[in-house]
């Protein structure tokens, strides 16, 4: 099929979808038949990594096609950022954003900028307070959806502040759930159906489209159908405790049991299956509308989720530390390209910025389109070059390699480099408590965010980008090296045994991040 | 486009006195950041051909660096009408360098 026949692009972002929970990435237990079939007929990228983590930096990388790790963390899209919608301004293509991802919705953050059509679906985590004044029926109690072991009372018999906060958040979800009648009311079902409604009823059928569907599911709350239908979770049927709608952001040691972590993973897996079911309906609708043969469909995630010990999360529950391990940074990436014979698994490393270049390529534009941005000679934002590389050539078989390695990390806190043989982590700031992490890295986003003011304080220090004459390259003692062929999930640090390899990878990492910083 | 001329042997505050609008790049051979900054300087040179560009190997210029008040590289020393007017260490992209040069 020629580029001309590929008319539209549907980009599907599924927040917090860990790659190894999908059948097509080797999971034998979690049922994801629709995504598996999508992968079987399309292209599956074995080594896709998000670079700057988590939610917001990933959206910025995807919107701009530029790496964020050397530049900034959890902060708004600024006028210096040239987004894909800036590039698509005044072109034939119509643009739509249908989403329920609350961090993107923070008004001052501007991540809905420039879309012709925007539909936000309320209620998911961070937007749950929208429903805090809805009366809650007495049979719904927040405590019944949390582990009693996590809820602590003070001397007067009152719950402490963190327990109250968990109960309050759980009850905000219950205020919504009490009126749900089927799984069509789950967040993923609603946002996917809204995207389908735009395709069917609202778009101009005579113009090409770029639709960004951003589903916050399978992100927590862990609220799959079994929780509301009072039946055992299919992936953990013998569990007897309370459903675990939420969990604290915490190191698990001394706080949570392995049984609780395993149950959370089972509920999460059930959410993944639900997302898969509703994507199956969407794929069916695309085919019924005659769009499958002229629409490129790109599916990815921003990150996974730490949910326990070892490969499940290195001892964390949720993203309370800036730890860019495999379970967080490695993401699924699946693409359907009309007219291209699929069924191909691509081993090359790719990064989320490459998705942006691929979307533009699918719409008949190259990354150089950024230089033309504007209308009638008006240069919109003095755009900087995109870093992304289109994935269409590797899918067409014109090349085997997009990138030899990937990078990942948290701005100002951690950098890592991953190649086929090794992964290496360079810590800028590993030790930080949960409260400081929320305040400093996440820009106080639980309280609505303060438009990047906190993140801006995490400026890179001059020492990070400079050397002292005469000094040898030294590998910090806190850095970590892993044998990726034997230890993909980074559980056995071998840095002491391979100091030369560590030095080589640290140099390569610094050189590459510096190169990105200077382009 | 301006070439980056190596002046390691001659560099001194007196030698800079003949420069009207120059950027002097202090670097170190095995420094990865210096390799990146050299590319930035070349791109900047293409955008600002009137600016003279020079380089100095920091490992042979510790005295001059102490005199100018810095010890880390990469560092750019901006000279106008024979006088050092700005010293900037660390990385920047060509757009930032252009803006910094214009702001002086």
């Amino acid at each position: 099929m020629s580029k001309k026949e590929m008319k539209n692009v549907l980009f599907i972002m599924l927040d917090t979808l860990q790659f190894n929970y999908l059948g097509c990435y080797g999971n034998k237990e979690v049922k994801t038949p629709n995504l598996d079939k999508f992968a079987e007929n399309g292209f599956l990228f074995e080594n896709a990594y998000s670079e700057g983590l988590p939610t917001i930096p990933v959206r910025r990388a995807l919107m701009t096609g530029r790496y964020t790790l050397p530049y900034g963390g959890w902060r708004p899209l600024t006028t210096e950022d040239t987004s894909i919608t800036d590039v698509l301004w005044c072109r034939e293509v119509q643009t739509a954003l249908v989403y329920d991802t609350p961090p993107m919705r923070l008004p001052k953050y501007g991540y809905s900028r420039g879309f012709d059509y925007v539909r936000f679906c309320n209620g998911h985590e961070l937007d749950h307070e929208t429903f805090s004044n809805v009366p809650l029926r007495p049979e719904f109690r927040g405590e019944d959806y949390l582990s009693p072991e996590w809820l602590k009372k003070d001397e007067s018999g009152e719950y402490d502040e963190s327990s109250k906060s968990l109960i309050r958040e759980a009850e905000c979800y219950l205020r919504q759930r009490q009126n749900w009648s089927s799984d069509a009311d789950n967040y993923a079902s609603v946002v996917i159906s809204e995207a389908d409604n735009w395709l069917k009823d609202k778009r101009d059928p005579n113009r090409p489209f770029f639709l960004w569907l951003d589903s916050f599911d399978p992100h927590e709350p862990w609220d799959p159908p079994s929780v509301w239908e009072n039946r055992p979770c299919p992936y953990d049927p013998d569990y007897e405790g309370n459903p675990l709608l939420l969990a604290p952001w915490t190191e698990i040691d001394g706080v949570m049991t392995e049984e609780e972590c395993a149950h959370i993973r089972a509920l999460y897996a059930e959410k993944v299956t639900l997302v898969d079911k509703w994507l199956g309906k969407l794929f069916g609708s695309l085919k019924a509308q005659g769009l499958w043969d002229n629409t490129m469909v790109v599916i990815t995630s921003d990150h996974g989720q730490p949910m326990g010990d070892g490969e499940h999360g290195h001892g964390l529950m949720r993203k309370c530390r800036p730890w860019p391990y495999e379970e967080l940074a490695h993401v699924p990436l699946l693409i359907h390209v009309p007219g291209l014979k699929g069924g191909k698994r691509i081993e090359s490393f790719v990064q989320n910025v490459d998705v942006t270049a691929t979307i533009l390529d699918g719409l008949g534009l190259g990354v150089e389109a950024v230089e033309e941005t504007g209308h009638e000679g008006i240069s919109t934002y003095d755009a900087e070059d995109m870093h992304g590389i289109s994935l269409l050539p590797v899918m067409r078989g014109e090349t085997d390699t997009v990138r030899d390695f990937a990078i990942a990390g948290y701005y100002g806190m951690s950098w890592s480099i991953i190649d086929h043989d090794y992964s290496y982590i360079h810590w800028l700031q590993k030790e930080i408590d949960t409260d400081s992490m929320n305040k400093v890295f996440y820009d106080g986003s639980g309280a609505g965010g303060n438009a990047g003011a906190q993140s801006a304080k995490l400026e890179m220090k001059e020492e990070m980008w400079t050397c002292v004459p005469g000094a040898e390259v030294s590998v910090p003692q806190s850095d970590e090296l892993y044998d990726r062929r034997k230890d993909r999930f980074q559980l056995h640090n071998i840095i002491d045994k391979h100091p030369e390899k560590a030095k080589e990878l640290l140099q390569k990492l610094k050189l590459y991040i510096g190169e990105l910083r200077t382009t | 486009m301006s070439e980056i001329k190596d002046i390691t042997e001659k560099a001194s505050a007196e030698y800079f006195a003949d420069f009207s609008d120059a950027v002097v790049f202090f670097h170190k051979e095995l420094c990865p950041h210096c390799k990146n900054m050299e590319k930035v300087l070349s791109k900047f040179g293409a955008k600002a051909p009137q600016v003279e560009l020079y380089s100095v190997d920091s490992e042979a210029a510790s005295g001059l660096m102490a005199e100018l008040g810095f010890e880390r590289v990469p560092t750019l020393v901006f000279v106008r009408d024979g006088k050092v007017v700005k010293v900037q260490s660390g990385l920047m992209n060509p757009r930032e360098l252009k803006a910094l040069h214009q702001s002086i």
Side-chain angles (χ1 to χ4, degrees), chain A residues 199-273:
Chain A
L199 288 168
K200 283 179 183 158
D201 302 328
K202 297 192 172 75
R203 75 186 164 94
D204 177 349
N206 299 313
R207 290 170 61 195
F209 69 80
F210 167 51
L211 168 59
W212 182 317
L213 163 57
D214 206 299
S215 164
F216 209 37
D217 272 350
H219 188 287
E220 61 272 21
W222 298 292
D223 58 350
S226 69
V227 171
W228 313 113
E229 293 167 6
N230 288 321
R231 59 180 170 82
C233 171
Y235 298 121
D236 191 14
D238 299 327
Y239 178 79
E240 290 179 345
N242 281 349
L244 302 175
L245 196 57
L246 287 173
W249 288 49
T250 182
E251 293 192 34
I252 60 171
D253 192 26
V255 180
M256 308 181 70
T257 64
E258 173 48 31
E259 190 189 17
E260 287 169 344
C261 292
H263 190 60
I264 285 168
R265 294 195 294 270
L267 292 172
Y268 169 78
E270 193 188 341
K271 279 197 88 163
V272 171
T273 297

Side-chain angles (χ1 to χ4, degrees), chain A residues 338-383:
Chain A
L340 273 194
K341 189 174 180 310
K344 195 168 157 189
R345 300 175 80 89
I346 294 166
E347 285 200 12
S348 174
F349 283 93
V350 299
Q351 302 241 241
N352 47 9
V353 291
D354 301 329
V355 168
T356 319
T358 309
I359 291 169
L360 285 173
D361 204 356
L363 293 169
L365 300 164
V367 289
E368 64 279 2
V370 78
E371 289 164 21
E372 307 158 9
T373 302
H375 178 55
E376 294 187 346
I378 302 166
S379 178
T380 318
Y381 289 117
D382 190 17

Side-chain angles (χ1 to χ4, degrees), chain A residues 11-17 48-77 81-84 97 101 103-104 109 111 115 210 212-216 219 298-305 319 323-325 327-333 350-357 359 387-388 407-411 441-442 455:
Chain A
F11 172 54
I12 303 176
M13 161 58 79
L14 304 166
D15 199 287
T16 315
L17 178 60
Y49 283 80
S50 283
E51 47 91 42
L53 297 160
T55 320
I56 285 292
V58 170
R59 298 311 189 286
R60 195 164 68 256
L62 287 163
M63 292 206 82
T64 62
R66 285 177 59 78
Y67 282 80
T68 65
L69 194 54
Y71 278 99
W74 190 281
R75 68 160 176 77
L77 203 62
D81 293 309
T82 299
S83 74
I84 194 164
L97 171 65
T101 300
M104 275 181 92
Y109 273 49
Y111 282 87
F115 287 94
F210 167 51
W212 182 317
L213 163 57
D214 206 299
S215 164
F216 209 37
H219 188 287
V298 182
I299 301 174
T300 192
S301 184
D302 50 355
H303 50 70
Q305 180 73 293
K319 301 177 288 298
W323 296 359
Y325 294 110
E327 65 274 17
L328 192 71
H330 191 160
V331 294
L333 176 60
V350 299
Q351 302 241 241
N352 47 9
V353 291
D354 301 329
V355 168
T356 319
I359 291 169
H387 296 135
I407 61 166
Y410 279 73
Y411 173 72
F441 187 84
Y442 289 111
S455 180

Side-chain angles (χ1 to χ4, degrees), chain A residues 18 304-308 312-314 316-320 327-328:
Chain A
Q18 199 163 311
Q305 180 73 293
M307 290 181 285
H312 301 299
H314 288 79
L316 298 185
M317 177 55 64
R318 309 176 72 183
K319 301 177 288 298
C320 58
E327 65 274 17
L328 192 71

Side-chain angles (χ1 to χ4, degrees), chain A residues 420-438:
Chain A
H420 289 294
D421 297 320
Y422 295 95
S423 60
Y424 180 91
I425 298 180
H426 174 56
W427 295 106
L428 310 174
Q429 184 173 352
K430 184 180 185 184
E431 304 303 331
I432 181 168
D433 63 39
T434 303
D435 287 347
S436 304
M437 183 79 188
N438 281 336

Side-chain angles (χ1 to χ4, degrees), chain A residues 69-71 411-413 415 426-430 440 455-467 510 513 517, chain B residues 33 72-74 88-92:
Chain A
L69 194 54
Y71 278 99
Y411 173 72
M413 295 188 168
W415 293 351
H426 174 56
W427 295 106
L428 310 174
Q429 184 173 352
K430 184 180 185 184
V440 176
S455 180
K457 291 177 189 164
L458 264 179
E459 284 301 319
M460 295 289 190
K461 294 182 182 125
E462 182 190 305
E463 288 76 19
M464 202 171 289
W465 304 121
T466 54
C467 305
K510 283 187 168 182
I513 292 192
R517 175 66 187 81
Chain B
H33 305 307
R72 305 188 76 89
V73 290
Q88 181 76 41
S89 297
L91 294 186
M92 62 192 92

